[in-house]
C-alpha cells in the first residue's frame, strides 16, 4: 500500500518527500543540477531515495555502523533547483515536523466564518474597534496573499486544481462571508476594510503576477458590498477597474477564463457594478467638471468602460452567459449628446485620436440600447442624406459654369404608376447610382397631384411589398406553421427582383418606415454576418426543428437504425421529389451518434445558405447599397428586425396620450371619450387589427408608441357610416356617433373588413 508521507517540498521542477517510518527522503523530477540528492544528475520519473545515513525518530544506530554519522530529519525544503533539510543527531532527538498538522500560529489570516464571528463578537457595534481587531482587519485586507487564500473551495479540494481554467474559489462563500462582514450595524468594521483596500491593497496590485493563484482576489473582490457603494466608486471600484485593465495579456486571459465560467448572477453583478459606475461618472460630467479634473474624469470613465468591454467580450465568446441587453445603459441618451458623440466617433475614424478628445461612447456600442442605436442610425442617415444633398447642390452650381456637368436632383425621386409599381421602381432603381440611395426619398404616383410629405412614401413601401410578396412571383416560400417566409429556390424570377427587395428594405430603414415583411430572425443574422442556428430552423420550420432536436437529444447508440438518415435532404421540385447531398458523397454517409451534430449543422446550412445563395446574395447586395456602414454593425439581429418590421412592445395608454385631434374633436369630446373607452375594452388581437387598419402594420416602430402619431378628425354622416383610415398618414376619420355601442359596432366592422397586406 506504500508508505505514509508527512512532508512534501517542491522546487521548480522537482519534488522531495519525507517518510517518517524509515526516516528517508525521496525525490523525483529533474535532476540536472544534482537537486535530487541521488548522487547523479539524472532525471527521475518515480521517487528515489536521497543518499545519506538516515534514521527514523527514536531509531537505533546499526551496530555495524563503523562509527559513521547518522541523521534524523527535522524538516525538508526545496526551491528553484535546490533541496536541503534540517536535521538533528540521534543524541539530540527532536520529532520531525508533520505537514498534515497545521499550526494555527503559523497560518496567514484569511476571511473565514471563524474570523468574521470573532470580529463581530469583539466589535462593539458603533463604538471604536479594539486595536488588535483593527490590526487584524488591516493585515487581512491589506494583503493580497490573505485575500487570495480566502474563500477556497475546500469541501472537495477543488482549490488544489487551480489553473488558467479553474480558480479554485468558492464564489458563494465569498458572497456570503463578505455580506456577513459588511453590515450597517458595524460601521467601523466597514470603514477599516474600506481604508485597507483603498490605501494598501488596490494601489499595490501589479500588472504582472507570479502565479494564477494571485488572481483570485480579482474574482472575489467585486462581491464585497463596499465596491457597489457609490461613495466608494472613486476610491475602490474605479482604481480596481484600472488594475484589471492594466493586467498583462497572460493574467488578463486567465481572469477572462474564470469570468467565463461564473454563474450568470455572479457575472451579471460585475457588469451591473461597472454600468452603475459609468452612469455615476456621466451624471457627474453632466453637472459640470472643472477643467482641472477633466483628465481624471476621462481616465476613470475609460477604465470603467474598458472593464465592461472585456466582460462583453467574455460574454460573446462564452455563448452569452447573460443576455446581450444586460449590458445596455438605458440612461445614456439622457446623459450624453449622442449625436455629438457620433460625430466625434466619425472624426476619430478619419483623423485618429485628437488631443483632449473626450471619451467616445460609440467606441463601446454594446452599452447602447435599441433606442440609442436607432438615434445613431437616424443621425447617420441624416448626415449621409445631407452630404448627398450638398454634393448635388455643388454639382448643380458647377453646372452653371461648366455645361458638361448635368444638374442633379437633391432627392431620390421615384415616379411610379400604381398598376406597374414593381416595374417602374425597378427601372428607376436600376439606373440609380449608389450615392443617390443616400438622398431623401420622394415618391410621385403618376397622375396624382399629392406632394410627398411622408405619406406617399409610406404608401409606396406598403404597395410595393404587397406586390413583391404576391405568390404570382413565386419568389418566397410561405411556411404555414410559423407564418413566415423564406427565399424560394424554385422561383423563375431573376435576381434583379431580390436585389430590388433588398434595396426597398434598406430604403425603408433609411427613411424610417416599417414594412410588413415576415422573414425569420435568420435573415437579420445573415445581414449582420452571424450564422443561423438550429434555433432559427425551429422558428421557420417548427416541426423539422423539433425533429432535429430529438435527433441530438436521443440517448441511445442505435441512431442509424432508429432514424435511418444519411447526409442528404429530400426536397420537392414541382411535384416530384429530389434528393440533395448536404456534403460530398453524403448519400453514402449514415448519420450516427458521432456525426449527428455535423448533420444538423449541414441541414441548417443548406436551408439558410446553400439552397438560396444566389437569391440571398442579390438581396444582401441591394440592402447594403443603402444601409451599408459602421452604424448597422452596432445592432443585434433582433434590433435590426425591429427596425425593419417594428416590434410588439405595445403601450396603449401611450398611444392615447400621443393622439392628436382635428376640427371640433378634442380629448374630452363625447365621441372621443366613447372611442377610447371602446378601444381599451377590445382584446389584444382586435387592438392589433386596429393598428393594421390605421397604419398598415400591426407592429410599432422600434422607438415605441411614443413615435407613433395617431390623428383623429370628425367626418360627415352619422350612425350608419363606418370609420375610415388614411393609412399613409395614420389618420382616422371618425363620424360623430350618438352612443358608445354604435361606435363599437362600427369600429369592429371597419377593422374586420380591412384586407391588409399579406403573402397569402
Amino acid at each position: 500500500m506504500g508508505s505514509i508521507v508527512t512532508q512534501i517540498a517542491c522546487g521548480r521542477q522537482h519534488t522531495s518527500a519525507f517518510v517518517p517510518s524509515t526516516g528517508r527522503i525521496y525525490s523525483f523530477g529533474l535532476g540536472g543540477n544534482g537537486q535530487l540528492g541521488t548522487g547523479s544528475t539524472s532525471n527521475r520519473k518515480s521517487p528515489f531515495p536521497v543518499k545519506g545515513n538516515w534514521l527514523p525518530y527514536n531509531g537505533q544506530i546499526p551496530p555495524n555502523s563503523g562509527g559513521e554519522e547518522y541523521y534524523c530529519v527535522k524538516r525538508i525544503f526545496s526551491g528553484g533547483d535546490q533541496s536541503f533539510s534540517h536535521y538533528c543527531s540521534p543524541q539530540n532527538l527532536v520529532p520531525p515536523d508533520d505537514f498534515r498538522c497545521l499550526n494555527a500560529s503559523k497560518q496567514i489570516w484569511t476571511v473565514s466564518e471563524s474570523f468574521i464571528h470573532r470580529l463581530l463578537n469583539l466589535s462593539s457595534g458603533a463604538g471604536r474597534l479594539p486595536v488588535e481587531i483593527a490590526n487584524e482587519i488591516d493585515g487581512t485586507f491589506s494583503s493580497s496573499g490573505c485575500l487570495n487564500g480566502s474563500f477556497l473551495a475546500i469541501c472537495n479540494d477543488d482549490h488544489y486544481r487551480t489553473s488558467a481554467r479553474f480558480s479554485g474559489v468558492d464564489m458563494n462563500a465569498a458572497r456570503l462571508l463578505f455580506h456577513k462582514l459588511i453590515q450597517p450595524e458595524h460601521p467601523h468594521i466597514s470603514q477599516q476594510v474600506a481604508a485597507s483596500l483603498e490605501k494598501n491593497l488596490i494601489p499595490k496590485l501589479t500588472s504582472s503576477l507570479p502565479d494564477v493563484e494571485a488572481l483570485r482576489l480579482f474574482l472575489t473582490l467585486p462581491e464585497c458590498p463596499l465596491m457597489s457603494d457609490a461613495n466608494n466608486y472613486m476610491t475602490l471600484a474605479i482604481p480596481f477597474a484600472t488594475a484589471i485593465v492594466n493586467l498583462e495579456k497572460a493574467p488578463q486571459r486567465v481572469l477572462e477564463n474564470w469570468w467565463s465560467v461564473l454563474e450568470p448572477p455572479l457575472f451579471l453583478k460585475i457588469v451591473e457594478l461597472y454600468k452603475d459606475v459609468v452612469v455615476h461618472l456621466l451624471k457627474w460630467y453632466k453637472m459640470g467638471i472643472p477643467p482641472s479634473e477633466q483628465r481624471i474624469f476621462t481616465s476613470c470613465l475609460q477604465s470603467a468602460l474598458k472593464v465592461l468591454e472585456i466582460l462583453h467580450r467574455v460574454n460573446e465568446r462564452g455563448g452569452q452567459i447573460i443576455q446581450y441587453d444586460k449590458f445596455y445603459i438605458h440612461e445614456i441618451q439622457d446623459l450624453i449628446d449622442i449625436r455629438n458623440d457620433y460625430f466625434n466617433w466619425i472624426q476619430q475614424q478619419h483623423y485618429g485620436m485628437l488631443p483632449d478628445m473626450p471619451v467616445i461612447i460609440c467606441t463601446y456600442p454594446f452599452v447602447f440600447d435599441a433606442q440609442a442605436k436607432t438615434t445613431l442610425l437616424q443621425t447617420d442617415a441624416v448626415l449621409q442624406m445631407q452630404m448627398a444633398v450638398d454634393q448635388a447642390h455643388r454639382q448643380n452650381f458647377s453646372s452653371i459654369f461648366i455645361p458638361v456637368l448635368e444638374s442633379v436632383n437633391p432627392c431620390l425621386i421615384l415616379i411610379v404608376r400604381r398598376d406597374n409599381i414593381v416595374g417602374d421602381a425597378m427601372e428607376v432603381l436600376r439606373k440609380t447610382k449608389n450615392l443617390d440611395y443616400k438622398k431623401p426619398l420622394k415618391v410621385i404616383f403618376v397622375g396624382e397631384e399629392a406632394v410627398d410629405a411622408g405619406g406617399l412614401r409610406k404608401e409606396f413601401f406598403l404597395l410595393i411589398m404587397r406586390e413583391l410578396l404576391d405568390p404570382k412571383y413565386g419568389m418566397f416560400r410561405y411556411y404555414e406553421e410559423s407564418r413566415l417566409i423564406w427565399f424560394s429556390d424554385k422561383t423563375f424570377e431573376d435576381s434583379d427582383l431580390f436585389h430590388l427587395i433588398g434595396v426597398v428594405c434598406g430604403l425603408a430603414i433609411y427613411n424610417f418606415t416599417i414594412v410588413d415583411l415576415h422573414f425569420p430572425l435568420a435573415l437579420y443574422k445573415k445581414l449582420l454576418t452571424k450564422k443561423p442556428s438550429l434555433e432559427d430552423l425551429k422558428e421557420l420550420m417548427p416541426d423539422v426543428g423539433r425533429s432535429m432536436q430529438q435527433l441530438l437529444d436521443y440517448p441511445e447508440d442505435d441512431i442509424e437504425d432508429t432514424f435511418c438518415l444519411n447526409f442528404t435532404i429530400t426536397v420537392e421540385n414541382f411535384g416530384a421529389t429530389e434528393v440533395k447531398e448536404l456534403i460530398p458523397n453524403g448519400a453514402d454517409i449514415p448519420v450516427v451518434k458521432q456525426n449527428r451534430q455535423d448533420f444538423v449543422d449541414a441541414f441548417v446550412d443548406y436551408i439558410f445558405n446553400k439552397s438560396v445563395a444566389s437569391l440571398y446574395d442579390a438581396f444582401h447586395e441591394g440592402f447594403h447599397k443603402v444601409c451599408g456602414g459602421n452604424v448597422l454593425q452596432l445592432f443585434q439581429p433582433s434590433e435590426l428586425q425591429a427596425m425593419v418590421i417594428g416590434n410588439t412592445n405595445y403601450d396603449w395608454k401611450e398611444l392615447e396620450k400621443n393622439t392628436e385631434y382635428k376640427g371640433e374633436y378634442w380629448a374630452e369630446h363625447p365621441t372621443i371619450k366613447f372611442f377610447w373607452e371602446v378601444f381599451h375594452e377590445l382584446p389584444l388581437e382586435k387592438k392589433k387589427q386596429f393598428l393594421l387598419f390605421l397604419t398598415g402594420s400591426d407592429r410599432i416602430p422600434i422607438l415605441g408608441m411614443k413615435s407613433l402619431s395617431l390623428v383623429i378628425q370628425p367626418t360627415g354622416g352619422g350612425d350608419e357610416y363606418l370609420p375610415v383610415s388614411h393609412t399613409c398618414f395614420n389618420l382616422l376619420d371618425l363620424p360623430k356617433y350618438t352612443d358608445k355601442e354604435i361606435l363599437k359596432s362600427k369600429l369592429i366592422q371597419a377593422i374586420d373588413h380591412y384586407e391588409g397586406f399579406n403573402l397569402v
Side-chain angles (χ1 to χ4, degrees), residues 66-98:
E68 289 185 5
E69 200 168 351
Y70 279 78
Y71 315 101
C72 297
V73 172
K74 173 75 170 89
R75 186 183 180 108
I76 62 172
F77 301 88
S78 293
D81 291 333
Q82 289 81 36
S83 298
F84 61 94
S85 72
H86 283 172
Y87 70 92
C88 55
S89 64
Q91 294 78 24
N92 304 298
L93 279 181
V94 178
D97 291 350
D98 188 339

Side-chain angles (χ1 to χ4, degrees), residues 108-123:
I108 62 170
W109 285 322
T110 59
V111 182
S112 62
E113 195 80 51
S114 58
F115 170 80
I116 293 172
H117 185 72
R118 186 170 71 258
L119 293 187
L120 296 181
N121 281 344
L122 294 175
S123 169

Side-chain angles (χ1 to χ4, degrees), residues 230-413:
N231 295 317
N232 297 325
Y233 285 166
M234 295 301 293
T235 55
L236 297 182
I238 293 172
F240 185 65
T242 304
I244 293 173
V245 171
N246 289 340
L247 284 173
E248 291 182 351
K249 284 185 178 179
Q252 193 171 101
R253 271 198 304 270
V254 173
L255 182 59
E256 289 178 25
N257 289 340
W258 290 358
W259 274 343
S260 70
V261 293
L262 283 179
E263 291 293 319
L266 298 174
F267 186 82
L268 179 61
K269 184 181 179 68
I270 310 172
V271 173
E272 292 290 350
L273 167 61
Y274 283 103
K275 280 171 56 181
D276 290 343
V277 170
V278 170
V279 170
H280 175 81
L281 289 170
L282 291 177
K283 285 179 178 177
W284 179 34
Y285 178 77
K286 193 170 184 180
M287 287 189 292
I289 298 176
S292 59
E293 296 181 11
Q294 183 69 46
R295 188 164 292 180
I296 296 172
F297 165 80
T298 299
S299 173
C300 292
L301 184 58
Q302 267 184 334
S303 292
L305 285 167
K306 283 186 180 297
V307 170
L308 284 174
E309 184 178 43
I310 296 168
L311 289 163
H312 182 261
R313 183 169 67 235
V314 170
N315 194 55
E316 290 296 297
R317 206 165 53 212
Q320 293 209 339
I321 304 161
I322 57 177
Q323 284 292 315
Y324 62 82
D325 58 2
K326 297 297 184 186
F327 283 88
Y328 290 168
I329 300 178
H330 298 290
E331 302 92 334
I332 280 283
Q333 285 209 88
D334 300 325
L335 297 173
I336 66 167
D337 183 341
I338 203 165
R339 290 172 177 82
N340 190 53
D341 190 83
Y342 172 74
F343 292 135
N344 285 335
W345 184 50
I346 295 294
Q347 192 177 25
Q348 183 192 44
Q349 289 179 322
H350 282 90
Y351 305 111
M353 201 68 183
L354 300 175
D356 298 324
M357 183 176 276
V359 177
I360 299 171
I361 309 296
C362 282
T363 314
Y364 309 94
F366 50 84
V367 302
F368 290 127
D369 61 17
Q371 292 197 11
K373 289 174 185 174
T374 304
T375 302
L376 284 172
L377 189 64
Q378 290 173 342
T379 304
D380 180 68
V382 170
L383 180 64
Q384 297 275 6
M385 286 180 182
Q386 189 59 53
M387 289 169 61
V389 170
D390 289 347
Q391 183 164 333
H393 286 320
R394 282 195 300 272
Q395 184 169 333
N396 291 341
F397 182 75
S398 300
S399 68
I400 298 171
F401 305 100
I402 309 173
V404 178
L405 291 175
E406 292 182 10
S407 62
V408 294
N409 199 304
C411 295
L412 173 58
I413 306 294

Side-chain angles (χ1 to χ4, degrees), residues 9-67:
C10 299
R12 182 179 289 113
Q13 289 184 312
H14 75 284
T15 301
S16 303
F18 173 65
V19 176
S21 60
T22 62
R24 289 179 178 274
I25 304 171
Y26 293 82
S27 62
F28 57 94
L30 298 190
N33 290 317
Q35 62 264 46
L36 298 184
T38 58
S40 75
T41 55
S42 301
N43 300 334
R44 292 286 179 178
K45 292 184 178 179
S46 57
F48 196 83
V50 173
K51 280 193 170 185
N53 296 327
W54 308 108
L55 273 181
Y57 179 63
N58 288 332
Q60 298 295 317
I61 297 175
N64 57 350
S65 63

Side-chain angles (χ1 to χ4, degrees), residues 156-204:
N156 51 7
D157 287 344
D158 274 355
H159 67 288
Y160 291 124
R161 298 193 291 118
T162 300
S163 67
R165 293 280 171 190
F166 191 80
S167 69
V169 170
D170 184 342
M171 290 299 295
N172 288 323
R175 185 178 71 255
L176 291 171
L177 291 174
F178 269 131
H179 279 80
K180 281 185 179 179
L181 179 64
I182 308 300
Q183 296 181 20
E185 298 81 25
H186 297 276
H188 288 287
I189 290 180
S190 299
Q191 289 165 12
Q192 181 61 61
V193 171
S196 300
L197 293 175
E198 176 191 346
K199 295 173 183 174
N200 300 323
L201 180 79
I202 295 176
K204 294 176 184 174

Side-chain angles (χ1 to χ4, degrees), residues 462-501:
L462 292 171
L463 292 175
I464 197 168
M465 291 312 300
R466 178 178 68 174
E467 185 73 10
L468 287 169
L469 299 182
D470 193 302
K472 72 183 180 186
Y473 289 105
M475 295 170 62
F476 300 99
R477 180 179 173 186
Y478 178 75
Y479 292 86
E480 189 74 43
E481 189 179 1
S482 62
R483 301 176 72 182
L484 296 171
I485 60 173
W486 191 245
F487 301 91
S488 172
D489 57 347
K490 303 297 180 296
T491 183
F492 290 113
E493 299 296 337
D494 61 23
S495 59
D496 281 358
L497 279 179
F498 290 96
H499 184 273
L500 176 62
I501 292 184

